[in-house]
Amino acid sequence: MPQRIRHYFDFRDTISFSDGLMLKGEAVIIPKSLRNEMKARLHKAHFGSDSMLGRARGTIFWPGMKSDIKQLADCCSICQESKPKNQNIPLMQHAEGSTPWQKIGLDLFELNGKHYLIAVDYFSSFIEIDLLTS
Ligand SMILES: [Zn+2]
């Protein structure tokens, strides 16, 4: 197999040709000669790699696109400054309570056009559902 098409081998089942464009699924396969221009367009707003990848995903494609875009954003000081500073807080398990109905969970839902309130007791897992009339 020629070296220049080897990167596409794993995607061969999803590649098609339409109106003069090579597609991977619905994404246009960008030739090497246009990749820098596509990266520059994606990078124009300096919103970082997640935003750039979000806009590129499903619309354009080239082998290694994800790492190319990430590298571009990682090397840009403006993108780094606009990167979200908050880190994800790990999920914490809450106490279930030591007696029934000490701690409950509430939610509203709609079923067949009627609205209901559901209450769940954390201690016993007892569920109560009430139809809301007003
Ligand atoms: Zn940037």
mmCIF file of all heavy atoms in Angstrom, residues 43 45-48 52 72-73 76-80, ligand 1:
data_model
loop_
_atom_site.group_PDB
_atom_site.id
_atom_site.type_symbol
_atom_site.label_atom_id
_atom_site.label_comp_id
_atom_site.label_asym_id
_atom_site.label_seq_id
_atom_site.Cartn_x
_atom_site.Cartn_y
_atom_site.Cartn_z
ATOM 1 N N HIS A 43 -8.578 28.529 14.752
ATOM 2 C CA HIS A 43 -7.846 29.154 15.841
ATOM 3 C C HIS A 43 -8.123 30.648 15.980
ATOM 4 O O HIS A 43 -7.757 31.261 16.967
ATOM 5 C CB HIS A 43 -6.340 28.910 15.612
ATOM 6 C CG HIS A 43 -5.488 29.323 16.754
ATOM 7 N ND1 HIS A 43 -4.231 29.821 16.580
ATOM 8 C CD2 HIS A 43 -5.711 29.347 18.079
ATOM 9 C CE1 HIS A 43 -3.715 30.119 17.743
ATOM 10 N NE2 HIS A 43 -4.591 29.842 18.675
ATOM 11 N N ALA A 45 -10.464 32.600 16.919
ATOM 12 C CA ALA A 45 -11.084 33.160 18.127
ATOM 13 C C ALA A 45 -10.294 32.869 19.399
ATOM 14 O O ALA A 45 -10.602 33.412 20.457
ATOM 15 C CB ALA A 45 -12.503 32.622 18.271
ATOM 16 N N HIS A 46 -9.279 32.012 19.332
ATOM 17 C CA HIS A 46 -8.443 31.671 20.495
ATOM 18 C C HIS A 46 -9.268 31.136 21.665
ATOM 19 O O HIS A 46 -9.067 31.539 22.804
ATOM 20 C CB HIS A 46 -7.614 32.879 20.957
ATOM 21 C CG HIS A 46 -6.588 33.291 19.969
ATOM 22 N ND1 HIS A 46 -5.404 32.614 19.805
ATOM 23 C CD2 HIS A 46 -6.568 34.309 19.080
ATOM 24 C CE1 HIS A 46 -4.699 33.203 18.863
ATOM 25 N NE2 HIS A 46 -5.377 34.229 18.397
ATOM 26 N N PHE A 47 -10.191 30.246 21.388
ATOM 27 C CA PHE A 47 -10.998 29.671 22.464
ATOM 28 C C PHE A 47 -10.433 28.357 22.994
ATOM 29 O O PHE A 47 -11.071 27.694 23.797
ATOM 30 C CB PHE A 47 -12.440 29.451 21.995
ATOM 31 C CG PHE A 47 -13.235 30.722 21.882
ATOM 32 C CD1 PHE A 47 -14.184 30.861 20.898
ATOM 33 C CD2 PHE A 47 -13.047 31.760 22.773
ATOM 34 C CE1 PHE A 47 -14.930 32.028 20.792
ATOM 35 C CE2 PHE A 47 -13.781 32.933 22.680
ATOM 36 C CZ PHE A 47 -14.726 33.062 21.678
ATOM 37 N N GLY A 48 -9.280 27.948 22.535
ATOM 38 C CA GLY A 48 -8.650 26.739 23.051
ATOM 39 C C GLY A 48 -8.988 25.501 22.235
ATOM 40 O O GLY A 48 -9.827 25.523 21.331
ATOM 41 N N MET A 52 -11.991 24.426 19.437
ATOM 42 C CA MET A 52 -11.565 24.169 18.064
ATOM 43 C C MET A 52 -11.969 22.758 17.628
ATOM 44 O O MET A 52 -12.477 22.555 16.522
ATOM 45 C CB MET A 52 -10.044 24.350 17.950
ATOM 46 C CG MET A 52 -9.603 25.795 18.126
ATOM 47 S SD MET A 52 -7.829 25.986 18.446
ATOM 48 C CE MET A 52 -7.108 25.360 16.959
ATOM 49 N N LEU A 72 -1.538 23.056 18.521
ATOM 50 C CA LEU A 72 -1.649 24.467 18.164
ATOM 51 C C LEU A 72 -2.143 25.290 19.348
ATOM 52 O O LEU A 72 -1.578 26.341 19.673
ATOM 53 C CB LEU A 72 -2.613 24.622 16.977
ATOM 54 C CG LEU A 72 -2.889 26.029 16.474
ATOM 55 C CD1 LEU A 72 -1.622 26.652 15.912
ATOM 56 C CD2 LEU A 72 -3.977 25.998 15.406
ATOM 57 N N ALA A 73 -3.182 24.810 20.018
ATOM 58 C CA ALA A 73 -3.737 25.541 21.164
ATOM 59 C C ALA A 73 -2.776 25.525 22.348
ATOM 60 O O ALA A 73 -2.650 26.523 23.061
ATOM 61 C CB ALA A 73 -5.078 24.952 21.559
ATOM 62 N N CYS A 76 -0.189 28.211 22.136
ATOM 63 C CA CYS A 76 -0.675 29.590 22.024
ATOM 64 C C CYS A 76 -0.938 30.149 23.422
ATOM 65 O O CYS A 76 -1.747 29.608 24.174
ATOM 66 C CB CYS A 76 -1.956 29.614 21.194
ATOM 67 S SG CYS A 76 -2.739 31.232 21.163
ATOM 68 N N SER A 77 -0.275 31.251 23.751
ATOM 69 C CA SER A 77 -0.434 31.829 25.088
ATOM 70 C C SER A 77 -1.839 32.391 25.299
ATOM 71 O O SER A 77 -2.382 32.331 26.401
ATOM 72 C CB SER A 77 0.614 32.915 25.322
ATOM 73 O OG SER A 77 0.456 33.943 24.357
ATOM 74 N N ILE A 78 -2.462 32.913 24.249
ATOM 75 C CA ILE A 78 -3.819 33.471 24.385
ATOM 76 C C ILE A 78 -4.819 32.354 24.686
ATOM 77 O O ILE A 78 -5.679 32.486 25.552
ATOM 78 C CB ILE A 78 -4.218 34.252 23.113
ATOM 79 C CG1 ILE A 78 -3.265 35.419 22.896
ATOM 80 C CG2 ILE A 78 -5.651 34.760 23.217
ATOM 81 C CD1 ILE A 78 -3.420 36.110 21.549
ATOM 82 N N CYS A 79 -4.690 31.233 23.975
ATOM 83 C CA CYS A 79 -5.570 30.088 24.241
ATOM 84 C C CYS A 79 -5.353 29.564 25.661
ATOM 85 O O CYS A 79 -6.307 29.199 26.338
ATOM 86 C CB CYS A 79 -5.318 28.954 23.246
ATOM 87 S SG CYS A 79 -6.042 29.220 21.613
ATOM 88 N N GLN A 80 -4.115 29.547 26.099
ATOM 89 C CA GLN A 80 -3.825 29.056 27.444
ATOM 90 C C GLN A 80 -4.437 29.954 28.508
ATOM 91 O O GLN A 80 -4.914 29.493 29.532
ATOM 92 C CB GLN A 80 -2.308 28.933 27.656
ATOM 93 C CG GLN A 80 -1.666 27.846 26.826
ATOM 94 C CD GLN A 80 -2.324 26.491 27.026
ATOM 95 O OE1 GLN A 80 -2.447 26.001 28.132
ATOM 96 N NE2 GLN A 80 -2.785 25.896 25.939
HETATM 97 ZN ZN ZN B 1 -4.843 30.729 20.432
#
